[in-house]
Amino acid sequence: MDLTFRLADDADLPALVALYDAAARWMQDHGIAQWKPGEKGEDHFRRRRTDGEVWLAESAGHLVGAYELWWQDEPAWGVRPPEAGYVHRLMVNRDRAPAGTGRALLTHAEQRIAATGRTWSRLDCVASNPRLRTYYEAAGYTAVGEQPFKAGTGGSTYAVTLLEKRLGD
């Protein structure tokens, strides 16, 4: 697979919003109640770049995927020592991405986390999406709990499954 990875910059913000919205529409079309089109705008991705990292994957000159990497995630995981990176919004362009792009994004995130000396990759997924949980478990993640989560001010409350993978094993 011919993927290149780079950190997002301000010029990438519209493309990130479009990628998110397309992923959200795909989820809705497949009965997955998780993301909603229009829910994350440029300001969201700008903030994520300020307090974490946003990575893009490109193939043949096209954006084919992206993910956010956070260095703490108190809303889902509580206060923790700096031992993990937290992967969020793993997104794939289903029209252009080569097979295996999602796993390549996850592997890139794990390598980035390990490069900082942290030993855990952590993520969460909505508990009502067993297919996604199975996907992460097949990638070596173990479910370690479930927690209620409230989406923003006035947002809905739902449960998330917490998953983690020890890096370097």
Side-chain angles (χ1 to χ4, degrees), residues 66-138:
Y67 69 89
E68 296 174 11
L69 184 55
W70 303 3
W71 300 114
Q72 59 183 349
D73 185 1
E74 290 181 22
W77 289 86
V79 176
R80 299 281 184 129
E83 63 190 6
Y86 301 85
V87 181
H88 285 274
R89 266 165 284 292
L90 188 72
M91 303 176 282
V92 173
N93 179 330
R94 294 185 176 274
D95 295 329
R96 293 190 180 259
T101 296
R103 185 64 61 90
L105 287 162
L106 200 51
T107 298
H108 185 269
E110 293 164 3
Q111 291 168 344
R112 175 70 189 115
I113 294 164
T116 69
R118 296 177 184 224
T119 55
W120 293 96
S121 177
R122 293 188 175 133
L123 48 83
D124 62 73
C125 66
V126 66
S128 62
N129 189 345
R131 185 173 165 202
L132 186 56
R133 176 180 171 167
T134 299
Y135 176 82
Y136 289 133
E137 288 174 338

